Amino acid sequence: MITDKKFEQLHTERLLLRRPTVEDANAIFSSYPTQKEVTKYLLFLPHESIQDTLNFIQWSDEQWEKKGGYNFILCSKADEGRVIGGVGLSLEGLDDEHESEEPTLPAGVARVSYYIVKEQWRKGYATEACKKMIELAIEVGITKLVAPVHPDNLASIRVLEKCGFQEDAMVCEMLVLPNLRKENLVGFGRSLSLSDPPPTLTWED
């Protein structure tokens, strides 16, 4: 599955969401991926060199071009487009055939993820970005979003709850978070349909 290129740039009230390019490497590297506080609960180690960031951009391209993933950097409209985070959907489960040996999600299910640079925490950006991913998921035919989250990551849990997610035992997974030890995560899910639009949220919520 090749991701639709018309979604390579999306807008919210305060954010530009766009597909990362090699030209963004320095801006990304100087942002969230080098901050241990940000990557603590994520599935990648902090970036130690610009090459780590270039590898990430290559991975992102593979998601867009081959695996049906939507991966974005978050750029602040108020701060001249400065990179302040990232957000994405993993859509590998939408295809019936997969060349990858990695585990895939069931058809119609996508995993949402988001992360914000430490200096911009508690300003509603994660909620704003997650809401946009709900809108995108509905538009591309996703029927359910899931989000495994570490039980100590209370801020992320709060974002999911504000965006209409509920705890879902079927989503619980055993994942190795490279910055922590292997342990059970809390599963959150939200069923989607065109007749069930995302909640109306403002960034202050």
Side-chain angles (χ1 to χ4, degrees):
M1 176 179 180
I2 299 177
T3 308
D4 195 327
K5 292 184 180 296
K6 74 178 182 180
F7 298 118
E8 289 186 358
Q9 285 198 7
L10 302 174
H11 292 267
T12 68
E13 178 184 352
R14 300 180 297 163
L15 297 170
L16 167 64
L17 291 68
R18 62 179 177 84
R19 177 179 174 175
T21 67
V22 172
E23 288 73 22
D24 297 312
N26 287 324
I28 295 173
F29 180 70
S30 62
S31 180
Y32 63 90
T34 57
Q35 296 183 337
K36 293 183 179 180
E37 299 93 338
V38 175
T39 61
K40 179 178 180 180
Y41 296 117
L42 301 180
L43 294 174
F44 60 85
L45 293 168
H47 291 193
E48 296 182 352
S49 69
I50 195 69
Q51 186 59 51
D52 291 334
T53 305
L54 290 170
N55 292 342
F56 157 74
I57 294 171
Q58 181 180 2
W59 169 87
S60 175
D61 286 341
E62 291 174 355
Q63 292 292 309
W64 278 91
E65 300 296 339
K66 298 179 181 179
K67 297 187 177 181
Y70 293 85
N71 189 64
F72 303 91
I73 52 175
L74 301 176
C75 303
S76 170
K77 292 181 177 179
D79 194 6
E80 299 182 345
R82 185 169 72 92
V83 177
I84 63 168
V87 68
L89 296 177
S90 174
L91 303 180
E92 294 182 56
L94 286 182
D95 261 346
D96 292 329
E97 297 181 1
H98 303 276
E99 295 180 359
S100 172
E101 295 181 358
E102 297 179 359
T104 58
L105 298 170
V109 179
R111 181 181 292 113
V112 63
S113 59
Y114 45 84
Y115 26 91
I116 305 295
V117 69
K118 183 181 178 181
E119 293 77 14
Q120 300 296 333
W121 285 359
R122 301 180 182 87
K123 296 182 181 180
Y125 287 119
T127 301
E128 192 169 330
C130 187
K131 178 191 173 185
K132 194 64 180 181
M133 290 299 95
I134 295 173
E135 296 174 356
L136 174 61
I138 291 173
E139 187 164 356
V140 299
I142 298 297
T143 57
K144 184 174 183 178
L145 285 176
V146 297
V149 59
H150 193 281
D152 292 341
N153 193 354
L154 300 181
S156 186
I157 290 173
R158 177 59 180 147
V159 168
L160 293 170
E161 291 174 339
K162 288 191 291 185
C163 289
F165 287 73
Q166 297 179 337
E167 282 199 43
D168 184 343
M170 298 298 293
V171 179
C172 291
E173 301 181 19
M174 287 290 289
L175 293 178
V176 177
L177 300 178
N179 304 292
L180 297 170
R181 65 183 184 275
K182 183 176 180 179
E183 55 186 291
N184 283 308
L185 303 182
V186 179
F188 282 81
R190 174 177 169 146
S191 296
L192 303 174
S193 71
L194 291 176
S195 61
D196 179 27
T200 300
L201 295 173
T202 63
W203 62 265
E204 294 95 340
D205 288 336

